[in-house]
DNA sequence: ATGAAAGCGCTAACAC
DNA sequence: GTGTTAGCGCTTTCAT
């Protein structure tokens, strides 16, 4: 059985209040008493009961990061960055991997004892009642393109990122640019907007835009195979995430095409895999550290002041040209 | 402010016990009362306080999965499988991403309110006092090759897996087989044992065995580059994980070699990336579902019976020949 | 500088 | 079938 404050107090011959003071680093404790208490803590292997503490104080010191089952492309990097950013503020992080494709995992985590929740949205998260409407710990959206203006969010400018990526493809001489995206809702995809904008400004007609179900390699594979085996084969494909792009490259090889010679491919996200793939994957890098820091900061603010104004923070992005769009080999 | 049982009871005109009964699905409640209570629950947006419940019952219904900062190769798959396996038993899972390379994250999670902890060990986890020595929720080790016999663990037979993989390389005609592993402790690596065994039985001399720091692509890259740019270049490399193998393949290309024609590469883990890489990566598949199910089952047993006998469960593995070891192209 | 006591929200025993 | 009460382990006034 785990020992409690009372056990420690009895062994040290003091009151539980004193033990609590020592454990919590309260300064006004005599050296002698502190020594006795610390010895008792070690001897009894005392560990504070987090539930009791939380029940009393209303604080857990823990944030939850909810990752969707649909595999957020840069989940790994994001998790690492969030853990780090939270650690800087003395907060721990638990990650809730959604089992279901639906966002029900959010409900699960809402009942867990955490101070706040970061929701990594792969697509759009448009629940009927929105994350804020329900009770529970405050929520900050990461990376999602939610139009829900009642919830803090940190994201890149998806339309601008798609436009920049498309312009990169045009810049290396491509003219028949197709796109593969993930449509999460009936709402227009911001990525698609940027893609069209870039082509229109260049005086080109948009190529086909295929919709993948999730941000997974297999989804990119299927979509690209369809794109590349039909007539009017594109000479470039813009993918709304790196896993899609990885799958697209594999599809190109499997139908006998070379990347980038026959078809250029670019993704979004800058996952590590793309730096080792063959060819290396051109992509749009998102500043994950920025995203994590801002999201945690935002959440910390909202935890302390629930009525703070809603923020919509845009993270910077950069096009990273690599082998998969190299014009030189063409 | 969040509403409590008392609030609901007052609104519904019943006692808190009755509300508790309804919330917990206790059958002996009259239909009329149940209806009133449920209405009040909805109206007040009541959510049970997990901390209070845990404090009272001593149960959280949550398992923690600790993933090391050193990037467990198949972490993603494992997390998904564990979440699923736990879900089957009505348990939720939180993932604790270790920030530090040390295993201190385990201490962190020990203070969190969970019923049990699954520790995904990338290498060996040989703490001075071992996971079991400390107090706190029970621990089950996953995938580690800990020699700590005081702790339940589920793992593959690493020596056998390495031997099988080496035999596969020999089977496709390779003779100068090198290896890249991750040495976590001073203890001999089981993988190395199997590698040597296979070569000895074939009457061959072992090639160089390089030690990578972590299971990361960059580590595999560095080690393979050293291996391939020196004299006595190997014609095959056994890597103790898929990320190492991915890095090794990239290194081979960068020094101007072809895979598998000039050098064959095989990994362990069967991560999805290896099915899309070029060439696709031969590997040893671990039955992640089995691992997850057994680990969760083991943990569930130990939660209920702390004195149960310690189990050491071996999960099945299978060699998956793919393009990176294809003998045909040689 | 230390102790006594109240109470956070909930469930388990026990009355009725 | 429903209500009353005690107490899980902790922090926090308020005394001393």
């Amino acid at each position: 059985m785990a020992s409690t404050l009372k056990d420690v107090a009895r062994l040290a011959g003091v009151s539980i209040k004193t033990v609590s003071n020592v454990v919590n680093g309260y300064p006004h404790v005599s050296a002698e008493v502190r020594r006795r208490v610390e010895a008792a803590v070690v001897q009894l292997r005392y560990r504070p009961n987090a539930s009791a503490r939380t029940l009393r104080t209303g604080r857990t010191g823990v944030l939850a990061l909810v990752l969707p089952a649909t595999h957020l492309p840069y989940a790994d990097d994001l998790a690492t960055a969030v853990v780090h950013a939270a650690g800087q503020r003395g907060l721990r992080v638990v990650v809730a991997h959604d089992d279901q494709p639906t966002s029900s995992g959010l409900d699960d985590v809402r009942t867990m004892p955490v101070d706040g929740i970061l929701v990594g949205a792969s697509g759009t998260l448009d629940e009927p009642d929105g994350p804020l409407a329900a009770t529970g710990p405050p929520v900050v959206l990461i990376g999602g393109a939610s139009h829900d203006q009642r919830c803090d969010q940190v994201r890149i400018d998806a339309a601008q990122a798609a436009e920049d990526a498309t312009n990169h493809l045009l810049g290396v001489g491509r003219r028949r640019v197709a796109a593969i995206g993930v449509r999460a809702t009936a709402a227009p995809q911001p990525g698609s907007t940027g893609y069209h904008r870039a082509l229109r400004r260049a005086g080109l007609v948009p190529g086909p835009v295929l919709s993948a179900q999730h941000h997974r390699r297999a989804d990119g594979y299927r979509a690209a195979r369809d794109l590349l085996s039909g007539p009017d084969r594109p000479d470039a494909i813009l993918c709304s995430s790196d896993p899609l792009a990885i799958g697209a490259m594999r599809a190109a090889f499997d139908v006998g095409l070379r990347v980038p010679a026959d078809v250029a491919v670019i993704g979004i996200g800058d996952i590590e895999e793309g730096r080792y793939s063959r060819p290396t994957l051109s992509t749009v890098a998102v500043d994950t550290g920025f995203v994590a820091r801002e999201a945690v900061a935002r959440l910390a603010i909202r935890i302390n002041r629930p009525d703070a104004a809603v923020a919509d923070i845009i993270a910077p992005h950069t096009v990273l040209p690599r082998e998969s769009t190299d014009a030189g080999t063409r």
Side-chain angles (χ1 to χ4, degrees), chain A residues 77-131:
Chain A
D77 284 350
L78 184 63
T80 306
V82 165
V83 170
H84 189 76
Q88 303 270 315
R89 305 177 106 86
L91 295 166
R92 274 158 305 154
V93 175
V94 297
V95 182
H97 278 251
D98 245 351
D99 193 14
Q100 307 296 328
T102 76
S103 266
S104 64
L106 219 184
D107 274 336
D108 252 25
V109 88
R110 269 238 182 66
T111 71
M112 294 192 31
V114 297
D115 292 340
I117 304 176
L118 299 164
V119 178
S122 64
T124 307
L125 183 81
D126 276 332
E127 300 173 27
D129 279 324

Side-chain angles (χ1 to χ4, degrees), chain A residues 155-191:
Chain A
R155 56 189 175 96
I156 62 167
D157 183 338
Q160 189 62 50
E163 184 173 354
D164 293 348
T166 307
N167 279 333
H168 169 66
L169 294 171
L170 299 176
V172 295
R174 309 299 161 137
R175 285 300 171 264
R176 300 187 310 282
V177 181
I180 300 174
V182 169
R183 185 202 310 279
T185 60
Q189 311 167 57

Side-chain angles (χ1 to χ4, degrees), chain A residues 232-246:
Chain A
D232 267 344
R233 178 160 60 72
D235 61 4
I237 304 180
L238 164 68
C239 299
S240 70
S241 74
D242 281 357
L244 289 177
I246 295 281

Side-chain angles (χ1 to χ4, degrees), chain A residues 15-307:
Chain A
S15 81
I16 64 169
K17 172 65 199 321
T18 302
V19 179
S20 177
N21 282 343
V22 171
V23 169
N24 294 344
Y26 185 71
H28 303 294
V29 182
S30 74
E32 160 60 12
V33 168
R34 155 160 287 131
R35 204 193 48 68
R36 281 215 320 271
V37 170
E38 278 166 352
V41 163
V42 170
Q43 184 180 337
L44 293 178
R45 291 208 169 111
Y46 169 74
R47 306 185 77 83
N49 180 311
S51 297
R53 193 175 263 182
T54 296
L55 179 57
R56 188 59 240 244
T57 63
R59 279 287 200 283
T60 64
V62 177
L63 303 182
L65 171 62
V66 180
L67 261 23
T70 61
H71 279 256
L72 194 62
Y74 48 96
D76 231 43
D77 284 350
L78 184 63
T80 306
V82 165
V83 170
H84 189 76
Q88 303 270 315
R89 305 177 106 86
L91 295 166
R92 274 158 305 154
V93 175
V94 297
V95 182
H97 278 251
D98 245 351
D99 193 14
Q100 307 296 328
T102 76
S103 266
S104 64
L106 219 184
D107 274 336
D108 252 25
V109 88
R110 269 238 182 66
T111 71
M112 294 192 31
V114 297
D115 292 340
I117 304 176
L118 299 164
V119 178
S122 64
T124 307
L125 183 81
D126 276 332
E127 300 173 27
D129 279 324
L132 258 190
T135 65
V139 172
V140 169
L141 254 39
I142 292 184
S146 172
H147 298 118
D148 188 338
Q149 295 298 343
R150 295 161 301 179
C151 190
D152 294 309
Q153 55 183 314
V154 182
R155 56 189 175 96
I156 62 167
D157 183 338
Q160 189 62 50
E163 184 173 354
D164 293 348
T166 307
N167 279 333
H168 169 66
L169 294 171
L170 299 176
V172 295
R174 309 299 161 137
R175 285 300 171 264
R176 300 187 310 282
V177 181
I180 300 174
V182 169
R183 185 202 310 279
T185 60
Q189 311 167 57
S192 164
T193 307
Y195 162 80
H196 282 106
R197 202 162 53 198
L199 290 178
R200 185 163 13 92
R201 290 194 180 157
L204 296 171
V205 291
V209 177
L210 260 59
S211 225
Q213 201 172 358
H214 299 310
H215 286 290
R216 288 188 309 209
R217 299 175 189 83
D219 298 303
Y221 186 93
R222 265 193 300 274
R225 198 191 42 202
D226 293 350
L227 233 31
L228 295 173
S229 44
D232 267 344
R233 178 160 60 72
D235 61 4
I237 304 180
L238 164 68
C239 299
S240 70
S241 74
D242 281 357
L244 289 177
I246 295 281
M249 289 205 293
R250 183 74 222 184
F253 304 132
D254 286 355
V255 302
L257 297 173
R258 292 161 303 164
V259 177
D262 299 315
V263 56
V265 175
I266 190 169
I268 297 182
D270 187 25
I271 64 177
E272 193 178 309
E273 180 175 353
R275 284 175 240 165
Y276 289 83
S277 65
R278 212 161 58 110
T280 52
L281 178 65
S282 298
T283 189
V284 180
V286 180
D287 188 339
T288 320
F290 177 94
V291 170
R293 277 191 306 276
E294 289 297 323
V296 170
R298 228 31 242 176
L299 191 49
I301 289 175
R302 186 152 304 284
I303 287 168
N304 293 317
R305 307 193 321 152
D307 298 323

